[in-house]
Amino acid sequence: MPNATEDPLAARILDTLIHRVGKDAKAARPHDWLAATILTVRDDIIDRWMASTREAHAAGAKRVYYLSLEFLIGRLLRDAIANLGRTPEVTAALASLGVDLAEIEEIEPDAALGNGGLGRLAACFMESLATLELPAYGYGIRYMNGMFRQRIDDGWQVELPETWLAHGNPWEFERRESAYFVGFGGDVAANEAGQVHWSPAEAVEAVAVDTPVVGWRGKRVNTLRLWTAVAFDPIRLDQFNAGDHEGALAGQVRAESLVRVLYPADSTAAGQELRLRQEYFFSSASIQDIVRRHVQYFGDIRTLPDKAAIQLNDTHPAVAVAELMRLLVDHHEIAFDAAWEITKATFGYTNHTLLPEALESWPLPLFERLLPRHMQIVYAINAKLLREARKVEGVDDRAIAAISLIDEGGERRVRMANLAFVGAHSVNGVAALHTELMKQTVFADLHRLYPTKINNKTNGITPRRWLFECNPGLTALIRDCIGDAFLDDASALSAFADHAGDAQVQERFDAVKRANKVALVDHLKGVMGLRLDPDALFDVQIKRIHEYKRQLLNILETVALYDQIRSHPERDWQPRVKLFAGKAASSYHNAKLIIKLANDVARRVNSDPSVGGLLKVAFVPNYNVSLAEKIIPAADLSEQISTAGMEASGTGNMKFALNGALTIGTLDGANIEIRDYVGADNIVIFGLTADEVAAKRGGGYEPRAVIEASRELAQAVNAVASGVFSPDDPNRYKDLMNGLYDHDWFMVAADFDAYAAAQRRVDGWWDDQPAWRAAAIRNVAGVGWFSSDRTIREYAEQIWGVM
């Protein structure tokens, strides 16, 4: 081994390996070197972390607190050293020790703290908050097993526990001093003075576990604080000694259930209760922590809105509104009306969906049994709200019913989205279309009552992870063309458009893209045994599996294309690889059936010699951040084909465009704004608009007639329904296909012909490679506006008041 003492950093890594990991260099395995490298880099991060905290304290700075049930942070080593500007230094130090940085980066587990776009957005936002040097905490849950690790067995999704913490997490720090009592159930009583006291029947201790979040160029390090749950009596010795060994541990098992799994299935009463417990657990601990910190540093709780901006990332933490009210009224003895003004001035609420089932509501008996004091507070807020609403002209009984925090239609339920709306001074959507639809649909009556509260903050992504780190070849090309300004200001990418027609730049761009595709091909060959042609068009749809995202539309068009290639081999077909990835919720039957269908279609197509390699299909298992970092730079075509009006924003669309993929999509979510920024000639738009979807749903839409009128669609639907792709179970997809005939709520049939025609336009475009490459370069240049730095700056200036 070379003399590591010649490189000071290598010497430090070697010392860490010996004295903190406990391994001799000759015996060290890759995971030992990974741990030693992380711990060495972490030491430098800690210094910056502490300095950032001291600076915020000294300045009396207002802090941002971002509450989210998900933080999909992915692997952290490459992100940390890149943001510190130390990648060449660490690479060289490890090389001097005979270690390949890229090799050990690959074995770092993905943190299983999220599932899809919501969690990845939260992670991007945390990085941008640090990059913009804004003091901030992210608050969430430290899930022991995440959502699940997805395995595909015979085409079916199988859910397995995600064991990312099996060997510890060198990035995290337990904060035993930051522990809080979180109660459930019990009784509420008031004394003669009117002071209310809640006596929970059970409680757990929420203990903070902190992870540093490094901003670009290491200017600031913020904190991601995740909560783990501990029973106050982890073991009942009396029960244990009496022979009830399992019962003696029941308290700890019950506590750990709160932090075991992300999104436990809520199809049962027990599942619903666990979900509500989880949401209150992390919301309560977070609000207690925020209030404690404010009182410690600023004294007067009444100044909380001046020093704290709390952002609710979707409805999951909405109970935090009632929790802050409880602390203000019951613990700090603030009058109810004054407490309500403090609460509203402190909270902001981001809505991420128009889907009714995602606008959480809880059965009133469940909510009242678990959170009796909060139920009283919700009723008091509702009384205040409805009395104010009655004074407004035009607010009738129908509007009152829609505004109320209690849904009286059928089973009485507590509406968490309404609670978040009225408890916040700002309510924002995440794309221009989504924000307008919020005003017209789910929050129409609340918007009429509070016409200035709703605003738009279009989502963004961090260019550090989603360009500089995952696509260094493209980053180097851009630097050669336009210089380094875009590294600190993504809007400077616009200058890259001037090189779109340059043949030499196009040639280099194509070489970068092909190298990324070769790397992905090699990876998929290793994990799936699949052989793919890197010169084919890589057509990619990777996202959570949901019917509104319309993976089914993509699969049916794939079936139709397969039939056309076999029927007309004389045509000049463009070789195409169809890649799918994503997880379906454990209890979502149709989504899991769609995964199976994708795999059944892949099995048939990939084994058919008659297509001559012109079409390959693959469903890649266990989609996560690290897999996305491999697939996105290799993609040629980005599938963003949700039913118009149903995707709040999307961020995958931004990542693909930033890496030079062309978008095929509907006018939904941020696709509209992407079209505006990259140019209508550089994106493939098809299908119904949101208004047209609404009109069809309300106007007697008959999907059966549409299917029967489309030869390609009818043949594809009939082939799937009749068992062509499922000979082992010919009826497997019969109900799924009958759903298209009977109601087609997601407009798969309605948009099929337009989608198929758009795909044939893509074929023609791909055939003209100079035109394709020019459009791809214009996509890269056009999406600098979609940086999460821009989004966070808008939040900071217009909602949080911290810039």
Side-chain angles (χ1 to χ4, degrees):
M1 179 182 294
N3 185 1
T5 58
E6 296 177 1
D7 184 324
L9 179 57
R12 288 178 57 203
I13 293 172
L14 187 58
D15 182 71
T16 301
L17 178 75
I18 295 169
H19 293 107
R20 296 169 71 181
V21 179
K23 278 291 185 75
D24 181 87
K26 293 180 180 179
R29 307 294 295 169
H31 65 267
D32 299 315
W33 288 111
L34 173 66
T37 304
I38 290 174
L39 291 172
T40 304
V41 171
R42 194 186 73 170
D43 287 345
D44 298 332
I45 292 171
I46 290 170
D47 292 337
R48 297 169 190 251
W49 196 10
M50 290 183 173
S52 298
T53 302
R54 285 193 293 267
E55 289 169 8
H57 288 167
K62 185 175 184 178
R63 284 180 171 83
V64 174
Y65 298 106
Y66 198 80
L67 272 62
S68 179
L69 204 59
E70 295 186 48
F71 286 94
L72 198 57
I73 57 176
R75 295 169 175 164
L76 293 180
L77 177 58
R78 183 170 65 180
D79 193 56
I81 61 176
N83 276 10
L84 291 170
R86 302 186 65 185
T87 302
E89 180 188 2
V90 175
T91 301
L94 287 170
S96 74
L97 297 166
V99 178
D100 182 356
L101 173 61
E103 179 184 342
I104 65 171
E105 283 177 342
E106 281 295 309
I107 63 173
E108 181 181 7
D110 273 44
L113 301 171
N115 173 42
L118 180 82
R120 185 53 232 172
L121 178 78
C124 285
F125 279 5
M126 287 301 300
E127 195 262 9
S128 281
L129 281 160
T131 294
L132 295 178
E133 300 183 71
L134 299 174
Y137 276 72
Y139 282 107
I141 293 177
R142 180 182 178 269
Y143 301 104
M144 297 167 69
N145 297 120
M147 187 169 174
F148 56 81
R149 177 168 55 88
Q150 183 192 58
R151 191 176 73 200
I152 302 298
D153 286 355
D154 190 29
W156 292 102
Q157 171 179 289
V158 176
E159 299 98 22
L160 302 170
E162 185 67 77
T163 56
W164 72 288
L165 290 170
H167 302 292
N169 178 7
W171 291 107
E172 66 183 23
F173 297 81
E174 182 177 276
R175 306 299 192 191
R176 296 181 183 180
E177 71 280 6
S178 297
Y180 300 95
F181 176 101
V182 178
F184 302 96
D187 297 317
V188 179
N191 62 21
E192 293 180 357
Q195 292 177 314
V196 176
H197 179 70
W198 174 32
S199 301
E202 58 175 306
V204 299
E205 186 177 36
V207 179
V209 179
D210 289 354
T211 299
V213 178
V214 183
W216 178 236
R217 301 196 187 280
K219 294 178 183 177
R220 181 172 183 85
V221 179
N222 279 331
T223 302
L224 174 60
R225 174 159 286 186
L226 304 174
W227 299 105
T228 190
V230 179
F232 284 99
D233 293 312
I235 181 170
R236 293 287 303 274
L237 283 176
D238 55 341
Q239 288 181 262
F240 191 87
N241 291 329
D244 185 6
H245 301 149
E246 293 182 2
L249 299 172
Q252 184 59 27
V253 171
R254 191 167 176 81
E256 288 182 357
S257 69
L258 292 170
V259 298
R260 180 66 66 179
V261 174
L262 167 65
Y263 299 139
D266 59 358
S267 55
T268 65
Q272 288 186 35
E273 179 172 332
L274 179 55
R275 286 280 290 271
L276 179 54
R277 282 176 177 267
Q278 281 186 320
E279 293 179 8
Y280 176 66
F281 165 76
F282 107 87
S283 297
S284 174
S286 303
I287 297 300
Q288 290 185 67
D289 196 45
I290 293 166
V291 168
R292 186 270 308 163
R293 185 177 298 108
H294 178 81
V295 172
Q296 178 180 344
Y297 289 108
F298 303 109
D300 187 358
I301 191 62
R302 296 175 187 271
T303 64
L304 182 65
D306 300 327
K307 297 297 182 180
I310 305 175
Q311 193 70 27
L312 304 177
N313 191 29
D314 217 3
T315 56
H316 308 123
V319 71
V321 172
E323 176 69 356
L324 180 56
M325 286 292 293
R326 182 183 72 85
L327 295 177
L328 293 174
V329 173
D330 296 355
H331 289 246
H332 293 273
E333 300 183 8
I334 306 290
F336 189 91
D337 287 351
W340 185 231
E341 294 306 313
I342 293 170
T343 296
K344 290 190 295 182
T346 304
F347 280 109
Y349 163 49
T350 301
N351 172 273
H352 284 279
T353 183
L354 303 175
L355 296 174
E357 65 269 23
L359 294 172
E360 287 185 313
S361 65
W362 300 109
L364 194 145
L366 169 64
F367 194 96
E368 188 161 26
R369 175 169 58 82
L370 280 184
L371 303 172
R373 178 54 178 151
H374 299 77
M375 190 71 256
Q376 292 179 345
I377 291 170
V378 168
Y379 271 126
I381 295 170
N382 202 41
K384 186 177 181 65
L385 169 68
L386 297 185
R387 281 195 293 267
E388 291 177 359
R390 279 295 186 190
K391 299 175 184 177
V392 177
E393 184 178 351
V395 175
D396 55 15
D397 288 345
R398 184 210 55 78
I400 287 290
I403 289 167
S404 176
L405 305 186
I406 309 298
D407 184 356
E408 302 282 356
E411 178 190 33
R412 299 175 75 212
R413 302 178 71 91
V414 182
R415 291 169 165 157
M416 304 310 289
N418 285 26
L419 176 62
F421 189 107
V422 301
H425 65 92
S426 165
V427 177
N428 70 278
V430 291
L433 174 64
H434 169 237
T435 299
E436 288 308 307
L437 290 174
M438 282 170 56
K439 297 175 182 178
Q440 298 168 20
T441 57
V442 293
F443 295 131
D445 292 288
L446 282 165
H447 174 58
R448 281 191 285 272
L449 193 61
Y450 303 106
T452 62
K453 187 173 283 194
I454 295 179
N455 60 92
N456 181 59
K457 299 290 174 284
T458 297
N459 282 341
I461 57 172
T462 169
R464 271 76 62 179
R465 183 178 288 264
W466 296 111
L467 178 60
F468 310 165
E469 295 168 34
C470 75
N471 204 339
L474 179 56
T475 304
L477 171 58
I478 297 169
R479 293 181 75 178
D480 288 347
C481 289
I482 66 172
D484 288 350
F486 77 99
L487 297 175
D488 296 292
D489 179 5
S491 66
L493 280 169
S494 60
F496 193 40
D498 295 338
H499 301 267
D502 186 319
Q504 289 185 330
V505 173
Q506 286 189 15
E507 186 175 341
R508 288 186 61 190
F509 180 89
D510 184 62
V512 168
K513 179 67 73 173
R514 193 178 190 282
N516 292 334
K517 292 166 78 170
V518 168
L520 178 61
V521 167
D522 290 344
H523 175 76
L524 295 181
K525 181 181 178 182
V527 299
M528 300 178 68
L530 189 65
R531 296 180 181 274
L532 300 175
D533 177 8
D535 293 316
L537 188 159
F538 277 29
D539 178 348
V540 179
Q541 188 174 20
I542 50 174
K543 54 184 73 245
R544 180 166 54 95
I545 309 299
H546 196 292
E547 287 172 282
Y548 89 81
K549 294 180 182 287
R550 298 204 295 191
Q551 286 91 354
L552 183 57
L553 174 61
N554 192 348
I555 296 168
L556 287 173
E557 198 280 328
T558 302
V559 170
L561 176 60
Y562 173 54
D563 284 342
Q564 287 292 307
I565 292 173
R566 291 190 300 171
S567 300
H568 297 282
E570 79 285 358
R571 294 180 183 173
D572 187 20
W573 298 105
Q574 299 300 320
R576 188 183 289 244
V577 172
K578 286 272 194 176
L579 291 178
F580 297 87
K583 295 178 180 179
S586 302
S587 58
Y588 193 167
H589 173 75
N590 275 7
K592 295 174 83 168
L593 197 59
I594 288 168
I595 291 175
K596 174 61 173 170
L597 177 58
N599 281 290
D600 279 347
V601 170
R603 181 173 55 189
R604 172 59 64 91
V605 171
N606 296 346
S607 63
D608 189 341
S610 69
V611 296
L614 291 172
L615 181 63
K616 292 286 186 181
V617 183
F619 187 96
V620 186
N622 203 40
Y623 178 58
N624 56 18
V625 175
S626 296
L627 183 57
E629 290 171 332
K630 292 179 173 65
I631 293 177
I632 289 172
D636 296 305
L637 187 67
S638 163
E639 297 271 355
Q640 308 296 331
I641 59 176
S642 53
T643 310
M646 301 195 75
E647 182 72 83
S649 170
T651 51
N653 45 9
M654 304 166 190
K655 295 163 193 167
F656 279 107
L658 184 61
N659 283 272
L662 272 58
T663 299
I664 181 169
T666 52
L667 286 175
D668 194 29
N671 288 355
I672 298 170
E673 290 150 287
I674 290 174
R675 176 200 60 182
D676 294 341
Y677 278 91
V678 307
D681 293 337
N682 300 300
I683 189 171
V684 182
I685 297 295
F686 73 93
L688 301 171
T689 65
D691 287 343
E692 290 168 341
V693 168
K696 273 194 175 293
R697 285 174 175 164
Y701 167 53
E702 296 183 5
R704 181 174 296 275
V706 173
I707 294 171
E708 292 174 351
S710 171
R711 182 181 178 186
E712 288 190 23
L713 176 57
Q715 289 180 346
V717 169
N718 289 338
V720 172
S722 65
V724 168
F725 297 94
S726 55
D728 57 318
D729 181 3
N731 293 320
R732 179 179 296 147
Y733 303 113
K734 187 175 181 179
D735 289 343
L736 185 65
M737 295 299 99
N738 284 343
L740 296 181
Y741 279 106
D742 295 339
H743 48 84
D744 189 27
W745 179 257
F746 299 102
M747 300 290 154
V748 171
D751 271 347
F752 179 87
D753 282 348
Y755 176 57
Q759 289 285 20
R760 301 295 72 77
R761 294 203 305 273
V762 167
D763 285 338
W765 207 346
W766 180 255
D767 195 39
D768 184 353
Q769 279 294 296
W772 182 279
R773 294 168 189 167
I777 290 169
R778 292 189 188 102
N779 269 264
V780 176
V783 294
W785 184 82
F786 294 92
S787 165
S788 51
D789 295 351
R790 184 270 313 158
T791 312
I792 287 298
R793 191 173 287 110
E794 291 180 1
Y795 275 98
E797 293 173 349
Q798 300 168 26
I799 297 178
W800 302 331
V802 292
M803 286 190 82

